[in-house]
Amino acid sequence: MKKILVTGGLGYIGSHTVVELQNSGYQVIIIDNLSNSSIDVLEGITDITKNPPEFERLDLRIKSDVSEFFKINQDIEGIIHFAASKAVGESVENPLLYYENNLNTLIYLLQECKSYDIKNFIFSSSCTVYGEPDSLPITESAPVKEPTSPYGNTKQISEEILKDVCAISSLKTIALRYFNPIGAHDTVKIGELPAGVPQNLVPFITQTAAGIRERLSVFGDDYPTEDGSCIRDYIHVVDLAKAHVVALERLLLEKNESNYEVFNLGTGRGSSVLEVVNSFEKTTGEKLNYKIVDRRPGDVIAVYADTQKANEVLGWKAEKTMEEALASAWKWEKKLREIE
Ligand code: NAD
Ligand code: WQD
């Protein structure tokens, strides 16, 4: 059984990916410092797979701890690196936290890859690297734009670091540029656990429907889109998780065409904020209290993926619908809040 290290494996996307990896026959070891997750997630994963993954509570910013970990775990064949800080607004307030947590951790891991000849690396990148795109849908060859936040910059710099390392070593990397992940596992044993007031649309919607937030603010209806609200590519987190298994297999079976590859992970469909709101109401039967307010500074107008490369080269395609994703997000929220 191949042993795969999943950093940030108790987080939102990481936990769903651990489930898919285990279900595909991989042995998983998770590193997480619980800075944005809960130890209960381990139980959720185990409930689903009936197979407890190994877990190491470790802060990847502590280089000596990272070295010690690899000394003990020399049989790791691949790394999926999710661990990072991801709040765009917080990154503007505290850029050094973001540069330290998102870049140092990557560098330390890559140093260990070199020491122990670990050749397979998957990196969590983001559609944020495209900024406001010149044309839609966005292909992987679209230019990377001036970063709009320190968070976004860490993703761009990380991609550059990986490209440079792959150019001079036997390391093979796939950088996956996620669009907007939403939803929860069908079993609702794992899902998204936003800390504090959610910044992202779907958790804000479900918390509003659950009565935790009074009202959803829809940030702008005067954008140059059909209904005036912004457009994004919302992808079910389970579809996203499955793509990691396929990407990992590509590396392990040496099917990659170059040592550094990039794939968009989205559905290829753009949905406006108001469409998401309507779809949520229709799917769940819940009436949502919302109000149109001013635009949120920094928001791009419209982004959605061209998924042809992932479809054809990885042989992966998002399968779940927006309705399924929203229904699962609502089921998860109701479970968290003990709503019948
Ligand atoms: P998340 O916060 O739920 O998961 C990240 C996990 O990493 C958390 O469990 C956290 O405790 C852990 N972690 C953070 N710093 C650590 C450290 N120094 N040492 C050990 N563990 C650490 O986030 P997520 O939504 O699952 O995102 C996973 C990855 O995907 C991140 O790299 C994020 O930037 C990227 N991404 C997320 C989105 C999104 O909308 N969720 C979109 C694009 C890219
Ligand atoms: C989606 C849409 C908002 C909340 C962020 C990061 C990006 C990536 C994904 C990590 C936008 C609108 C939102 C609300 C609203 N993450 N909205 N009311 O902005 O596309 O991307 O997450 O890499 O880097 O920036 O996602 O969920 O915040 O917003 O109207 O209360 O919903 O304006 O149009 P976004 P989001």
Side-chain angles (χ1 to χ4, degrees), residues 262-274:
V262 178
F263 293 94
N264 283 342
L265 295 182
T267 64
R269 283 185 308 276
S271 306
S272 75
V273 177
L274 291 170

Side-chain angles (χ1 to χ4, degrees), residues 10-231:
L10 295 187
Y12 176 43
I13 308 170
S15 56
H16 290 82
T17 302
V18 169
V19 167
E20 297 304 323
L21 286 168
Q22 289 190 312
N23 286 345
S24 303
Y26 292 99
Q27 186 190 345
V28 175
I29 182 161
I30 294 172
I31 286 181
D32 205 298
N33 67 353
L34 303 181
S35 59
N36 199 35
S37 52
S38 152
I39 192 66
D40 298 344
V41 176
L42 201 53
E43 207 179 296
I45 294 171
T46 308
D47 275 357
I48 298 170
T49 63
K50 312 289 174 224
N51 175 15
E54 275 182 77
F55 171 60
E56 194 72 33
R57 183 172 182 174
L58 189 153
D59 190 332
L60 291 163
R61 286 172 298 189
I62 305 171
K63 187 173 163 57
S64 54
D65 286 359
V66 177
S67 297
E68 197 54 36
F69 171 87
F70 279 92
K71 219 175 274 168
I72 297 165
N73 293 282
Q74 295 197 12
D75 51 348
I76 287 170
E77 296 199 36
I79 300 178
I80 306 185
H81 181 41
F82 291 102
S85 302
K86 65 166 179 177
V88 175
E90 185 186 43
S91 80
V92 176
E93 301 297 317
N94 196 347
L96 287 178
L97 176 83
Y98 275 67
Y99 288 117
E100 182 189 28
N101 203 34
N102 295 6
L103 299 181
N104 289 12
T105 58
L106 173 67
I107 293 167
Y108 299 158
L109 285 171
L110 293 179
Q111 286 169 334
E112 300 304 325
C113 287
K114 188 176 173 199
S115 299
Y116 294 100
D117 201 24
I118 299 166
K119 292 195 169 67
N120 306 300
F121 199 90
I122 295 185
F123 176 68
S124 298
S125 191
S126 167
C127 67
T128 192
V129 302
Y130 296 119
E132 186 80 69
D134 301 326
S135 64
L136 288 166
I138 310 166
T139 67
E140 289 81 352
S141 56
V144 163
K145 292 282 179 67
E146 185 72 18
T148 51
S149 69
Y151 166 76
N153 202 18
T154 68
K155 293 297 172 190
Q156 296 192 9
I157 297 170
S158 296
E159 288 196 8
E160 294 296 330
I161 292 172
L162 285 162
K163 210 187 298 169
D164 289 347
V165 173
C166 289
I168 51 85
S169 70
S170 53
L171 185 77
K172 297 173 287 168
T173 294
I174 293 182
L176 298 173
R177 291 177 177 161
Y178 312 150
F179 283 66
N180 291 55
I182 60 167
H185 197 266
D186 287 344
T187 60
V188 286
K189 291 186 189 296
I190 52 173
E192 191 168 7
L193 289 167
V197 181
Q199 305 301 306
N200 294 115
L201 178 63
V202 171
F204 205 104
I205 288 177
T206 56
Q207 287 198 8
T208 306
I212 298 156
R213 311 283 156 208
E214 200 193 324
R215 186 169 62 197
L216 168 76
S217 297
V218 171
F219 298 136
D221 70 346
D222 57 351
Y223 285 98
T225 62
E226 210 158 293
D227 64 24
S229 63
C230 291
I231 290 174

Side-chain angles (χ1 to χ4, degrees), residues 273-337:
V273 177
L274 291 170
E275 279 170 348
V276 176
V277 168
N278 290 335
S279 176
F280 179 82
E281 289 188 328
K282 209 166 144 206
T283 307
T284 64
E286 298 293 320
K287 187 91 196 78
L288 202 67
N289 185 18
Y290 72 89
K291 188 177 178 223
I292 313 285
V293 301
D294 288 345
R295 293 179 177 195
R296 181 172 69 176
D299 269 340
V300 296
I301 305 165
V303 279
Y304 52 94
D306 185 319
T307 60
Q308 196 183 347
K309 188 175 174 196
N311 298 162
E312 288 177 5
V313 180
L314 285 181
W316 166 90
K317 199 174 189 312
E319 279 165 358
K320 291 175 179 284
T321 61
M322 164 78 82
E323 288 70 30
E324 284 175 285
L326 291 173
S328 69
W330 179 229
K331 212 161 98 182
W332 168 248
E333 188 71 58
K334 284 198 292 184
K335 185 188 168 196
L336 286 179
R337 313 300 163 190

